[in-house]
């Protein structure tokens, strides 16, 4: 109970991480069953609070304090690009000029189309100057979606071309000081906030992904559609099938 008191006042996500860590440790050493049950109950409690927060579609205090717009972040990225094409401006571009994936560029290898790919690696496949594809095989939801190929858009392609011209011997898209050693996910996660520090806010990848989703999704319209579906006595999927556009 004293341990749980230490959680008070901390972010729900941090509470969850701490409880999970404690639960894993207890199970690993064959801890007391009663204590494990208390940790399990606490984890359920925190998860319910998180689900409630998500269902309300409200920003957390941290998100509220650091919220901005993608237009603002794109302006910062453009400023970085004007100062020079380098790894930092490339990273900023990857997370603002296209839908932001998680930290899955961290050890992305640069290969040509003939390269024999490994089943658990991510790649930037270069077909020619105008055609490139991001191949994702190692990412959080790979069990759900499997291998995913995302064509590199024109803006990112142009930036990558300029970047590779300056770094012709590059093995990985993102490296530690041009060492031929790829970044870690942790490295990449720490770099992102530094790129947008001029905003006066702490812009993490999590914040960027939430901003993109919030600007793209009309929550009010979705909730109204769900309410209408209920009044029409059919589900949301049927509602979508009924709806037509010109």
């Amino acid at each position: 109970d004293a341990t749980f008191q230490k959680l008070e006042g901390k972010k729900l996500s941090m509470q969850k991480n701490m409880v999970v860590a404690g639960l894993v440790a207890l199970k690993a050493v064959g801890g007391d069953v009663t204590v494990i049950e208390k940790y399990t109950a606490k984890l359920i409690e925190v998860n319910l609070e998180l689900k409630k927060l998500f269902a309300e579609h409200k920003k957390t205090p941290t998100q509220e304090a650091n919220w901005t717009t993608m237009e603002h972040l794109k302006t910062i990225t453009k400023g970085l690009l004007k100062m020079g094409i380098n790894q930092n401006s490339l990273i900023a571009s990857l997370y603002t000029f296209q839908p932001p994936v998680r930290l899955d560029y961290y050890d992305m290898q640069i290969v040509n189309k003939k390269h024999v790919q490994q089943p658990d690696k991510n790649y930037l496949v270069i077909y020619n100057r105008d055609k490139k594809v991001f191949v994702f095989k190692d990412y959080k939801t790979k069990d759900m979606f499997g291998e995913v190929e995302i064509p590199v858009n024109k803006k990112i392609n142009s930036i990558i071309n300029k970047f590779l011209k300056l770094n012709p011997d590059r093995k990985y898209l993102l490296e530690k000081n041009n060492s031929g050693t790829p970044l870690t996910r942790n490295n990449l996660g720490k770099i992102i906030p530094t790129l947008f520090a001029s905003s006066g806010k702490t812009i993490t990848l999590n914040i960027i992904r939430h901003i993109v989703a919030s600007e793209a999704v009309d929550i009010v319209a979705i909730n109204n559609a769900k309410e209408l579906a209920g009044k029409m006595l059919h589900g949301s999927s049927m509602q979508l099938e009924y709806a037509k556009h010109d």
Side-chain angles (χ1 to χ4, degrees), residues 14-232:
M14 185 177 293
Q15 290 186 39
K16 179 179 179 179
N17 291 339
M18 292 174 71
V19 174
V20 168
L23 193 54
V24 170
L26 283 168
K27 289 182 177 180
V29 299
D32 184 272
V33 174
T34 302
V35 178
I36 290 177
E37 288 178 348
K38 287 183 178 181
Y39 269 78
T40 302
K42 184 63 177 179
L43 181 58
I44 292 172
E45 176 189 326
V46 174
N47 277 334
L48 287 174
E49 288 296 317
L50 281 169
K51 287 182 178 180
K52 181 181 177 181
L53 183 65
F54 293 152
E56 292 174 348
H57 301 290
K58 291 182 179 178
K59 301 183 187 77
T60 66
T62 298
Q63 289 172 342
E64 189 70 55
N66 294 293
W67 204 262
T68 185
T69 65
M70 282 310 298
E71 191 59 38
H72 186 197
L73 297 184
K74 287 178 181 178
T75 297
I76 292 175
T77 299
K78 290 175 183 176
L80 292 173
L81 288 168
K82 285 183 179 179
M83 290 189 287
I85 302 291
N86 52 45
Q87 181 159 286
N88 283 346
S89 56
L90 172 60
I91 292 173
S93 300
L94 290 172
Y95 287 102
T96 56
F97 292 149
Q98 61 179 0
V101 299
R102 293 183 175 86
L103 300 169
D104 304 313
Y105 298 106
Y106 76 104
D107 70 340
M108 179 169 277
Q109 190 173 344
I110 302 171
V111 300
N112 60 41
K113 62 181 179 180
K114 295 181 180 180
H115 181 82
V116 178
Q117 298 182 16
Q118 300 300 311
D120 57 351
K121 284 282 295 179
N122 297 334
Y123 297 94
L124 168 62
V125 182
I126 299 179
Y127 288 82
N128 52 51
R129 181 175 176 80
D130 298 320
K131 180 182 178 182
K132 298 176 184 62
V133 176
F134 292 124
V135 179
F136 295 99
K137 302 183 185 184
D138 175 25
Y139 62 102
K140 186 175 181 179
T141 52
K142 65 179 180 181
D143 290 339
M144 183 181 299
F145 298 110
E147 179 179 326
V148 175
E149 294 189 3
I150 300 177
V152 177
N153 67 41
K154 289 184 178 179
K155 192 171 190 67
I156 299 291
N157 183 68
S158 175
I159 294 168
I160 289 176
N161 282 341
K162 293 174 183 177
F163 179 73
L164 293 181
K165 186 176 181 180
L166 295 170
N167 301 275
D169 299 322
R170 196 79 164 190
K171 180 178 180 181
Y172 294 95
L173 185 61
L174 306 177
E175 296 182 353
K176 296 179 181 178
N177 302 317
N178 294 316
S179 63
T181 302
L183 294 180
T184 64
R185 277 195 171 96
N186 188 49
N187 292 150
L188 180 53
K190 288 181 177 180
I191 289 171
I192 291 173
T194 68
L195 305 179
F196 301 103
S198 62
S199 67
K201 300 175 182 291
T202 303
I203 305 298
T204 62
L205 175 56
N206 182 272
I207 287 285
I208 294 174
R209 284 168 60 86
H210 276 86
I211 292 171
V212 170
S214 299
E215 292 184 355
V217 177
D218 189 334
I219 297 297
V220 174
I222 290 175
N223 287 336
N224 287 341
K226 287 180 179 178
E227 182 179 350
L228 178 60
K231 290 178 179 178
M232 293 177 68

